[in-house]
Structures are given as C-alpha cells and as structure tokens.
Amino acid sequence: MSEIEKLQQMIDESKRIVFFGGAGVSTESGIPDFRSVDGLYHQKYDYPPETILSHSFYISKTKEFFKFYRDKMLCLDAKPNKAHLALAKLEEAGKLTAVITQNIDGLHQAAGSKTVYELHGSVLRNYCERCGKFYDAQFILDSKEVPLCECGGRVKPDVVLYEEGLDQQTLQASVKAIQEADMLIIGGTSLAVYPAAGLIDYYQGDKLVLINKTPTSRDSMANLVITDSIGEVFSKIEIS
C-alpha cells in the first residue's frame, strides 16, 4: 500500500481529525518561510528578522519595525492553495474538527475553514493600543511610518512577537482539540518552534501523520511519515 493510500484509509476511518500546520502550508501560496534556505532568516537587514520581530524592538524602534513588517509580513494578495481548500472540505464533510496553525495570513479562513486556532495571531487584525479600535491589514499597508488611530494611539498588529506569550485561550482550545482527536495530521512544519511544537505531546491516538518536505525531530513517533509538499499530498486525497 502506498503512503497516499495509507493516508486515505486513515482519513476514511477517522471522525475527529485535527490538522496542525506551519509555514510550509503557506509557502505554496507564495508566502516566504522563515527558516527555509531562501526564507526571511537568510536575508540581509540591518538587524536579524528575529530581532526586528521582537516585542522589545517593536517598543524601542517602532518605525523600523513597521518598515520591515509592511515590506515582508503583509502578503495580502496570497490565495489559499490545495492544502487550505482540502482542509476546508474535510471540515465541511464533518471529519475535521479543527485547524491549528502557526501562520498569521488568514488563508485557512479564506478557504472556508470555520474552526481555526491561530497560535501566532493574524496580520488581518490590528488594534489601537489606546482605545482598542479595530483596523484591517490594508490600513497598516497604506500607513506611513507608525500607524496611528484617529484617537492618536498606536495601532499594533494582532500577531505574537518574540518575547510575547501565546494567547492562553487559543492554546487551551488547541490542546483540547488535540486531546479529543482520533487522527492528528501535522504538515508544513519542522516542529522547531515551542511552545507550539509541544502540542503534539497531547495527542493520545494511534493515527499520527507527519507531512513535510524535510525530516522532523518527531518522525520516529509518527504512524505515517510523508516527505512531500503538503498541497501535493492533499490534492491526491478523496474527500466524501
């Protein structure tokens, strides 16, 4: 039996699938991956990207933060790919209970997924730090230097920066979904970023699938490992 046939069989037998995804899910929509060879961490800036995307840099060098953020983090023309669309179909078919994502691009919702836990927030949500007013991503993109609310407050993207903690409600909901899952599919992530990568430890079932272009540190734990592009794999799965 081929890897795709095994995956198809596992999906057919499951009723509470949870998908946990990382940057590799979005790279197929043209959004750069932080850790790949041509990802953001290998490009040259005055400061390393992980420094720019930290809470302390945001506070101390806000103008430089937004310059980088507008230039590299807002990919508003990106469209959902085969993986996003297949996951939305699985949810619609009543087989998938949640998508847990490390991505901040909102593409799962754009594809039609309803239950999406965004561990690192979303570029589509931005709030005034003074009055709490909501602004969309286009407002940030169109703003000059530091985006300001009409009240004069600074508008901050609702994304989790380095040095900031994850939203506890989102984390707890993700843990609960994984604990109750009868199948856990992990795709497009090297499982290197904690605490998000530690969520896999809450899975108690026997259908753990890892789909990634390169090996991960957890391959030995998985019931099925597929070394391939997540979109290609999902395009071969029949959903009924």
Side-chain angles (χ1 to χ4, degrees), residues 1-12 183 209 211 224-238:
M1 190 185 290
S2 72
E3 291 172 338
I4 296 294
E5 286 169 336
K6 277 184 200 165
L7 178 61
Q8 182 75 60
Q9 184 179 9
M10 289 164 109
I11 288 173
D12 291 344
M183 179 176 185
V209 180
I211 305 168
L224 176 62
V225 176
I226 302 178
T227 309
D228 201 351
S229 123
I230 185 90
E232 281 306 305
V233 171
F234 272 121
S235 68
K236 295 169 186 166
I237 295 297
E238 288 180 23

Side-chain angles (χ1 to χ4, degrees), residues 57-74:
F57 192 93
Y58 169 77
I59 296 299
S60 65
K61 294 187 172 64
T62 313
K63 196 191 294 186
E64 286 95 327
F65 170 88
F66 275 107
K67 186 181 172 191
F68 178 88
Y69 183 85
R70 275 191 289 265
D71 189 30
K72 293 295 175 187
M73 306 303 289
L74 293 178

Side-chain angles (χ1 to χ4, degrees), residues 16-18 97-98 100 115 117 119 168-184 199-204:
R16 293 187 312 282
I17 301 169
V18 167
T97 55
I100 301 166
T115 305
Y117 298 122
L119 294 173
Q168 286 307 299
Q169 280 184 308
T170 305
L171 201 53
Q172 286 164 6
S174 301
V175 167
K176 186 171 186 287
I178 288 173
Q179 284 175 328
E180 294 173 352
D182 60 3
M183 179 176 185
L184 177 60
L199 289 173
I200 185 174
D201 297 325
Y202 291 97
Y203 179 60
Q204 296 159 4

Side-chain angles (χ1 to χ4, degrees), residues 3 38 47 58 65 67 79 83 89-90 94 96 100 118 122 128 130 133 136 172 199 208-209 213-214:
E3 291 172 338
D38 53 354
Y47 304 89
Y58 169 77
F65 170 88
K67 186 181 172 191
K79 298 283 187 285
K89 268 184 157 179
L90 272 174
L96 183 130
I100 301 166
E118 296 172 308
S122 171
C128 171
R130 184 183 295 171
K133 184 178 176 182
D136 63 13
Q172 286 164 6
L199 289 173
L208 173 61
V209 180
K213 283 184 174 176
T214 55

Side-chain angles (χ1 to χ4, degrees), residues 135-207:
Y135 288 90
D136 63 13
Q138 194 65 44
F139 173 82
I140 302 291
L141 195 61
D142 295 341
S143 63
K144 301 287 184 281
E145 299 192 340
V146 178
L148 297 176
C149 175
E150 55 196 24
C151 80
R154 182 171 57 194
V155 178
K156 182 180 186 290
D158 187 17
V159 298
V160 179
L161 302 175
Y162 289 97
E163 304 163 352
E164 293 181 342
L166 301 188
D167 178 75
Q168 286 307 299
Q169 280 184 308
T170 305
L171 201 53
Q172 286 164 6
S174 301
V175 167
K176 186 171 186 287
I178 288 173
Q179 284 175 328
E180 294 173 352
D182 60 3
M183 179 176 185
L184 177 60
I185 304 173
I186 297 175
T189 172
S190 55
L191 291 171
V193 178
Y194 282 81
L199 289 173
I200 185 174
D201 297 325
Y202 291 97
Y203 179 60
Q204 296 159 4
D206 59 359
K207 292 200 280 284

